[in-house]
Structures are given as C-alpha cells and as structure tokens.
C-alpha cells in the first residue's frame, strides 16, 4: 500500500471532577440586586500617551469620570518620572483648559482604586495596553490568582517609596490576560470591572476596529484627530489626547445604547465575544448549558461524539492547475446547516437519548445519492455518529502534516481530507462525513451507529425579544427564526436605513455565533496548571520575546544613549516583555508598522 | 482605602458608589429620598437619616461641625440628610486636615475652604437638576401659550379674570 504513515489525533471527552452546578459561571446568573445598569455607576474613561520608543513609557494620560452618564470630572495625569518642567507644562495646560490635574500615582489612588474597590467601570480602548502603561511592573500571573484563571496573563503593579525609604508595591495588583486578538479578561478589584471599548464593539458587531474606524461606524459627535509628532509633550499632544478620551467615551455611550436593547443579564465587561451574547440570550430564554442538563448522558457516547468532531475546514481538491470556477455563496452557512439537520430541539430538550441505529445507517449509506440530498427532509436522517473501520475511505484526518510526518516537528495539527487506511482500528465519524466518503468512492464499513432522540422541551423556556424588538417564543426554532428575520428586516419599509442595518448586523452576528461554535467550545481548566509541553512552549516563547525585545532595545540605546544600561537592573525586562506583548496591536493601530 | 483629594464632585461620585454597596438602588421607605449617602437601616427598614430621627421621635436636625470636630468646636444645626452628605464628603478630606493634630490655623482655614467646596458641589447638583427642570417648564409654558392662542385667539389673556383667586 502506498501512502504516508501518520499518527491520528482525535478529540476526547473528559469527565468533570466537580459537579455541573458549580461549573456554571456565576456571571451568567441574573443579578438578584435591584437592577442598576453598570453604565449608570461610576464610569472612568481614560487613555494614555507614551514615548515613541520600544519601551513605550507613560508620558501622560487623560480621563473623564461619569456618574449616571453625566460628566463629573475631566482631567489629565502626568507620569511620575517626568521632569519638573514637563509636569509644570502639563499643569499649565490643565489650568488653561479648566480640567483637573494629578500625578500617575494619584490617578491610581484617587480614581482607579475607587472603581476597583467600590464598583464601576474602568474603560479604555485597547485596555490591556493602557493598564500596563499606568501600572508598568508586569509579572506572569500565578496559579493562585483566581484559581489559575489568569495563568498565561500578567499581574500589573506600581511601585513607590514608603515613608521609611523602602520600595512599596500594591498587595493586590491588577491582572490582565489576553484571550485572543479581540478580548481580554481583567481583575481590577473586588467590585469594579474593566471594559475594553474595542471588545464590546466586536461582541456587538463581529467586527474589529481602531478608535477612528469605530467612531466613524458609530457616527459619534467627535472623531479622532491626528498628531504631527507622537511621543512628546506639547499642548497639541495634550489636546489630541483629550480628544481621544472624549471620542472613546462617545463610542462607549453609543455602544451602551445598543447593548441595553438586549434583554440579557450579562455584564457588558463579560461580553467578550459575539458568542458570549448568544449564550446570554440562551440563559435569558431559560436554556441551561447542555453539560448541566445531561449529567446522566453515557460518557462513552459523549466520547464518541467528541472524537467524531472535525470542525469546519477549507480545502482545494484540484491544485496547481487552472480550472474554471463558479462563485457559490451560502446564506448563513452554519445556521442553515443547523436548521436543515433539525438541531434546535436538542438545544431545548430536557434530555437526549442515544438510540442504536446501525442497520438503518448502513442502509442509508448504501442507498444515498446526490439527488436524495437535495430533499431537505432527508437531512434530518443525517443526525448520527458512526463507528467505522477505515479502508481507503475519503475521510477527514487530523494529524500533523509536517515534512517528516512523525508529529515531532512541533507544528499544530491540521485536518485534511484523505483516503484513510486504518486496518484493525475503529474510528467515529459524523454521518455527513461518511456520506461524502460514499459519494466520493465507496460506503465505509459501518460497525456501529447511534442516532439521537430529543426529549420534551425544557419547562423553563420563556419568551425573549431579540434586541428588544423581535420576539422568540418557547415553541419557535430560534435558528430558523433568526435566518428568516434577516429576510424580513431587509424588506421592512417601516424601519429607517440605520435601524435596518443595525438589526441585520445583530441577526447576522447572532446567527453565526449562536448555532455552531458555542456547542463545541472547549475551555481549558487551568486549575491544575498547564501540562509540561505547553509550559515548555510558553517558556520558549517568553525567552524569544525577551531576547528580541532586549536586542531591539540595545540597538536603539547603542545609537541614542550609549551609556544607558541601568534599565537592566530596574525591571526593564518586565517592561520590554509586556510592552512587546501589547505593542503589535498598538503600533498597528497607530500606523507605525 | 485611598481617599479622594481631587475634587468634591469626584468625591461625591465615589462616596455614593461606596454607599451604594450597602443598599443598591434602594430609597427611603418613608420619604423616597434616594441619595445613597443619607440611607441607613432602622428596625429592618431602609430610611434616610432624617426619617430615622423622626421615627425615634427626635427633631430631624443634627449639629454640624463646619470645620470638622478636631478643627473647631463651632456647630450649627443642619438638616439630618444634608449633614449626612457633608459628613460623608468630610471623610474624603486629606487626613492631616481632618485630624489637625497640632491645631494649625492654616489647616483650619483649609478645612473651611474644603467645606465650602463641598457645599458648592452639592449646590451645583441642585442647580443642574433645577436647570433642566426650569428649561423644561419654560418650554411647556411656551407650548401651552401657543395652544391657547390657537384655540382662543391672540388676546385670550385679556379674558383671564386676574382679580379672582383660583
């Protein structure tokens, strides 16, 4: 037999050590306290301006404090290490503009600390960068921080000299951890929350943006301006920064207006993705997470289902040869498949029963044709998982497609469609994958098949209005309704263009985030720490980042400050490491890369 | 807990947020007073300071030390709710000004200025509220006048019996 010999990787199902009721996120539960909108509490919007070098040290920042959405105070804060002349310059500017003025440390003690301790929102655009700028001492977060929730992230601290002359640091520093390019989690104190305007914008629109593009999209009253020279202290730079904070605040209030249309009990700081909003809608509708409902579901069947999951993939079947093409676009592909397979009843079922269906699936595979699949009614028959012995069947294969194919190159595994031979091995696949194999060659040899039967709908289901306007009743198929509503909204002449566009955007985001990814979400449990392989990879990454940062810094200092090497002994490594971590997004935003 | 020294308005915002942690968005069960800084628990109910005193059969006023107890023994009677507000704000003065360990006249004067700042901040809140209401009422009068003029003619005011009591 010709072919590559490769190790195959499959997903596995881990049984939870703790009980399902504990696993449910507390933040998803509706608050029992009298509903005060988080936007009506103290909201502190701030922005920072830094030096233009690789270190990106704080020069100054501007802030706006709101309470019940009314501006209470506007101010500027200067870096603790500025010269007296620079501080005086900033104070003069503040007096001329009629705004408050304080030091970086005062800004923390007199504003940020209160937000963290007593409640409120700390708001910025690209918040990890701004927080790291005002709290420049970064250390990797340990396992003890919120039971490992911030592992892979950083604690942020500040330092000052105590009355006894000794250096002092906060006992409870802030924490931040990047989840992905769009969102991060923060810990700023027991009661306050940090909110990144860019994250909230992404969660509501599924689009990323900079301050300029977000402000344009939201049509704020003020827009971002430009500056001739960054990294210096001047009246122009201070006015520019003040405007940036104003624009950030206006973006926040526009997003708040949009966010509050959604009848969900999700704190806006927890809206870290479109999927988070979709999940919050499920909670609002009375749909509890599947893993909490199906405690008695057979784990071997759950394991089989997990290992049958291969996810979405893109591939070309004919390569390196020009061929004619036809452009084909599917309307809401994932939600459409979701509806065709009839999966909504499983989402709202009180229980799901696995049903043996080996003979029925064998017959289906033997008789299925392309033409039969054009009948939507046949799709519901495809909802099954099947155990096969691969024998040259065209199947998705997850492996490390490296040059030596031994899996030791360190590359991440990928999925490709291949003719798979695995004599004596038994693998589970979703039935649609086997239909593809049959239509591409031959029907695989079926050893066992399981279909699923959805029980009666949950008794906890309640009506909810999408974006406060479009009702979803307990008996409705929410996936089908979301797709159909998009068509209805597009032709509804009672709506203004603006409202139509916003409704369509929301429905599109809900459809794409609510009916696929959240059902296959895997959340790493870091309470026991990372495994050795990941820890080693993380250490290697950190070393390379630090080395690169140090090299860049040395090159710069060799030309600009040949005698400056004291930073090595003052935590420059920390600054460089974290600055480099956050720099790419910020530099890109500012058009400097 | 860090204390605010930036401005009275910011102090008020942070003081109210701190107070809100106790009773959320509750209001006085008797008079509806909603300012978090005036609320307290009395016999299982949330009441403002004023209503708490009245419930105990006492006058709704308290003796206020305008310069702070440690700066000057002078007092004046003040509405209990107003006293609760200024007392909360006084807690945000710099510690040295509050304690004034050595009886410094300069710090006493500073305390007086801080109290003045606090009062102006509270007054500004009232002014802001009144301002929006005043303008709203002016608009209402103008619209009502336009309506009556359409219905009764431009000289309708001449027919209003101004000598009679309503």
């Amino acid at each position: 037999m010709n072919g590559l010999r490769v190790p195959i990787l499959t997903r596995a199902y881990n049984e939870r050590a703790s009980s399902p009721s504990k696993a449910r996120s507390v933040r998803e539960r509706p608050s029992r306290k009298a509903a005060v909108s988080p936007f009506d509490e103290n909201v502190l919007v701030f922005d920072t301006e830094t030096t233009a070098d690789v270190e990106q040290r704080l020069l100054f920042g501007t802030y706006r404090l709101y309470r019940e959405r009314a501006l209470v105070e506007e101010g500027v804060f200067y870096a603790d290490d500025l010269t007296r002349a620079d501080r005086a310059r900033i104070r003069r500017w503040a007096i001329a503009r009629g705004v408050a003025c304080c030091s970086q440390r005062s800004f923390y003690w007199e504003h940020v600390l209160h937000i963290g301790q007593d409640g409120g929102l700390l708001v910025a655009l690209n918040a990890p960068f701004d927080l790291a700028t005002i709290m420049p001492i970064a250390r990797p977060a340990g396992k003890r921080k919120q039971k490992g929730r911030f592992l892979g992230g950083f604690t942020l601290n500040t330092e000052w000299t105590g009355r006894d002359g000794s250096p002092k640091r906060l006992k409870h520093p802030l924490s931040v951890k990047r989840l992905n390019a769009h969102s991060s989690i923060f810990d700023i104190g027991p009661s306050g929350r940090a909110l990144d305007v860019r994250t909230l914008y992404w969660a509501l629109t599924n689009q990323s943006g900079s301050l300029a593009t977000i402000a344009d999209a939201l049509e704020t009253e003020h827009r971002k301006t430009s500056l001739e020279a960054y990294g210096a202290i001047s009246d122009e730079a201070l006015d520019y920064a003040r405007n940036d904070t104003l624009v950030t605040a206006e973006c926040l209030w526009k997003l708040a207006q949009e966010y509050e249309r959604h009848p969900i009990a999700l704190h806006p700081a927890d809206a870290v993705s479109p999927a988070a909003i979709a999940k919050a809608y499920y909670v609002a509708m009375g749909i509890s997470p599947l893993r909490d409902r199906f405690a008695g579901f057979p784990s071997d069947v759950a394991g089989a289902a997990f290992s049958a999951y291969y996810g979405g993939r893109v591939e070309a079947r004919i390569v390196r040869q020009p061929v004619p093409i036809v452009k084909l676009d599917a309307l809401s592909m994932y939600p459409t498949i979701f509806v065709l397979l009839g999966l909504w009843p499983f989402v709202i079922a009180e229980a799901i029963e696995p049903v043996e269906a080996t003979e029925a699936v064998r017959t289906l595979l033997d008789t299925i044709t392309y033409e039969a699949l054009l009948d939507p009614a046949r799709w519901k028959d495809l909802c099954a998982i099947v155990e096969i012995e691969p024998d040259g069947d065209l199947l998705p294969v997850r492996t490390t497609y490296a040059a030596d194919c031994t899996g030791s190159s360190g590359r991440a595994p990928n999925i490709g469609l291949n003719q798979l031979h695995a004599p004596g091995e038994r693998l589970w696949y979703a039935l649609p994958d086997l239909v593809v194999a049959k239509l591409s060659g031959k029907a695989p040899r079926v050893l066992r098949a399981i279909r699923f039967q959805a029980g009666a709908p949950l008794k906890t289901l309640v009506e909810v209005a999408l974006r406060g306007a479009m009702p979803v009743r307990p008996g409705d198929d929410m996936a089908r309704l979301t797709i159909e509503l998009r068509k209805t909204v597009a032709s509804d002449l009672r709506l203004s263009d603006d409202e139509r566009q916003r409704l369509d955007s929301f429905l599109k985001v809900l459809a794409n985030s609510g009916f696929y990814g959240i059902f296959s979400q895997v959340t790493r449990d870091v309470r026991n720490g990372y495994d050795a392989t990941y820890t080693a990879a993380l250490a290697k990454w950190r070393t390379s980042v630090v080395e690169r940062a140090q090299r860049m810094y040395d090159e710069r200092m060799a030309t600009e400050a040949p005698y400056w090497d004291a930073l090595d002994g003052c935590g420059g490594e920390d600054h460089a490491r974290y600055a480099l971590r956050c720099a790419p997004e910020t530099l890109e935003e500012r058009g400097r890369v | 807990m860090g204390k605010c020294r930036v401005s009275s308005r910011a102090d008020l915002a942070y003081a109210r947020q701190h107070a809100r942690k106790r009773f959320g968005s509750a209001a006085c069960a008797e008079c509806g007073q909603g300012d978090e800084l005036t609320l307290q628990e009395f016999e299982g109910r949330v009441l403002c300071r004023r209503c708490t005193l009245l419930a105990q059969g006492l006058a709704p006023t308290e003796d206020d030390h305008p310069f702070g107890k440690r700066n000057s023994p002078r007092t004046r009677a003040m509405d209990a709710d107003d006293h609760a507000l200024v007392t909360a704000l006084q807690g945000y003065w710099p510690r040295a000004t509050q304690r004034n360990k050595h009886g410094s006249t300069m710090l006493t004067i500073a305390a007086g200025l801080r109290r003045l700042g606090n009062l102006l901040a509270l007054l500004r809140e009232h002014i802001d509220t009144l301002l929006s209401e005043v303008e709203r009422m002016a608009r209402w009068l103008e619209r009502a006048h336009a309506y009556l003029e359409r219905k009764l003619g431009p000289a309708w005011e001449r027919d209003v019996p101004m000598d009679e009591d309503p």
Side-chain angles (χ1 to χ4, degrees), chain A residues 67 73 110-111 114 117-118, chain B residues 2 6-7 14 17-18 21:
Chain A
R67 182 165 179 82
E73 182 174 288
E110 294 170 16
H111 290 283
H114 286 284
Q117 295 293 320
D118 292 331
Chain B
V6 182
S7 75
Y14 290 126
Q17 188 67 40
H18 183 68
K21 284 168 78 175

Side-chain angles (χ1 to χ4, degrees), chain A residues 196-374:
Chain A
D196 194 327
V197 169
R198 203 155 71 171
T199 301
L200 186 59
Y201 178 73
W202 180 59
L204 288 169
T205 64
N206 203 29
Q207 290 175 354
S208 56
S210 61
L211 181 60
T213 58
I214 293 173
D216 286 345
L218 297 175
E219 295 178 346
T220 53
E221 186 183 342
H222 296 85
R223 305 293 170 93
K224 187 169 170 68
T225 55
S226 60
L227 192 61
E228 275 188 26
Y230 293 91
I233 298 174
S234 63
D235 284 4
E236 291 74 27
L238 287 156
D239 287 332
Y240 164 84
R242 186 187 184 198
N243 184 70
D244 265 6
T245 305
L246 173 61
V247 175
T248 304
E250 288 179 357
C251 290
L252 171 73
W253 298 126
K254 289 274 187 177
L255 291 171
Q257 218 174 356
E258 177 64 27
Y259 192 80
E260 286 174 332
R261 286 171 181 255
H262 297 284
I264 54 178
L266 181 72
H267 194 286
D270 289 328
V272 295
S273 67
I277 294 183
K279 281 192 275 184
Y281 264 105
Y282 283 164
V283 172
M285 292 169 70
I287 301 173
S288 51
L290 298 173
R291 62 156 189 247
D292 291 347
R293 264 182 278 157
F294 305 144
F297 194 82
S299 18
D300 60 326
V301 176
F306 261 74
S307 69
Y309 173 74
Y310 281 89
R313 54 189 182 271
V314 177
E315 52 187 79
R317 304 293 299 280
I318 303 170
V319 296
R320 296 180 186 163
Q321 184 163 351
V323 292
I325 62 163
V326 173
K327 190 177 170 186
L328 177 70
D329 189 23
L331 176 69
S332 303
M333 170 69 87
Y334 287 135
T336 300
I337 301 289
F338 188 95
V339 169
L340 285 172
L341 288 172
L343 297 179
W344 182 249
F346 294 101
V347 175
I348 61 171
E350 281 189 329
I352 295 178
E353 291 298 324
V355 176
E356 293 295 329
T358 309
E359 280 311 314
V361 167
R362 277 197 189 119
T363 305
L364 184 149
L365 277 174
D366 285 340
T367 58
I368 195 78
T369 60
Y370 278 117
E371 290 71 28
L373 288 171
L374 293 176

Side-chain angles (χ1 to χ4, degrees), chain A residues 96-108:
Chain A
R97 301 292 184 277
V99 302
C101 182
C102 64
S103 67
Q104 172 187 352
R105 195 172 311 134
S106 292
F107 178 66
Y108 171 76

Side-chain angles (χ1 to χ4, degrees), chain A residues 33-34 36 40-42 44 63 65 67-68 71-73 100 109-111 113-115 117-120 191, chain B residues 1-10 12-18 20-26 36 92:
Chain A
K33 244 186 178 175
V36 177
D40 286 335
E41 297 190 323
N42 288 343
L44 182 64
Y63 67 90
L65 173 66
R67 182 165 179 82
E68 294 177 359
L71 182 66
V72 170
E73 182 174 288
W109 286 110
E110 294 170 16
H111 290 283
L113 178 69
H114 286 284
I115 297 284
Q117 295 293 320
D118 292 331
S191 301
Chain B
M1 162 68 76
K3 296 296 186 184
C4 238
R5 276 169 234 120
V6 182
S7 75
S8 291
R9 295 186 71 207
L12 266 174
Y14 290 126
R16 287 205 168 97
Q17 188 67 40
H18 183 68
R20 187 175 270 187
K21 284 168 78 175
R22 286 190 69 199
F23 301 115
S25 59
E36 301 92 333
Y92 284 78

Side-chain angles (χ1 to χ4, degrees), chain A residues 343-483:
Chain A
L343 297 179
W344 182 249
F346 294 101
V347 175
I348 61 171
E350 281 189 329
I352 295 178
E353 291 298 324
V355 176
E356 293 295 329
T358 309
E359 280 311 314
V361 167
R362 277 197 189 119
T363 305
L364 184 149
L365 277 174
D366 285 340
T367 58
I368 195 78
T369 60
Y370 278 117
E371 290 71 28
L373 288 171
L374 293 176
D375 177 9
R378 296 298 304 270
W379 279 63
K380 291 190 177 41
D381 296 335
L382 300 179
C383 202
I385 54 173
V386 187
E387 189 179 32
I388 64 168
E389 185 178 330
D391 181 25
D393 307 299
L394 193 70
L395 295 166
V397 178
R398 186 188 286 110
T399 187
T400 308
Y401 290 92
D404 61 5
C405 295
T406 61
S408 60
S409 67
R411 285 193 197 171
N414 214 331
I415 298 171
L417 216 57
N418 290 285
Q419 284 177 315
L420 180 64
H421 296 267
E425 297 293 340
R426 303 157 79 101
L427 293 171
W428 286 89
Y429 280 92
L431 181 53
D433 280 323
L434 303 185
V435 170
V436 169
K438 154 64 190 286
L439 296 175
S440 306
K442 66 174 180 65
R445 185 163 154 257
V446 173
L447 300 171
R448 186 184 172 200
I450 298 174
R451 279 208 169 109
F452 300 96
Q453 200 158 26
L458 287 163
K459 294 183 182 57
T460 54
L461 293 179
V462 295
E463 180 173 319
V464 78
L466 300 178
R467 203 173 172 264
M470 297 166 283
V472 179
R473 282 167 278 269
D476 292 336
D477 181 330
M478 184 172 162
R480 181 185 296 276
L481 190 65
T482 306
I483 299 168

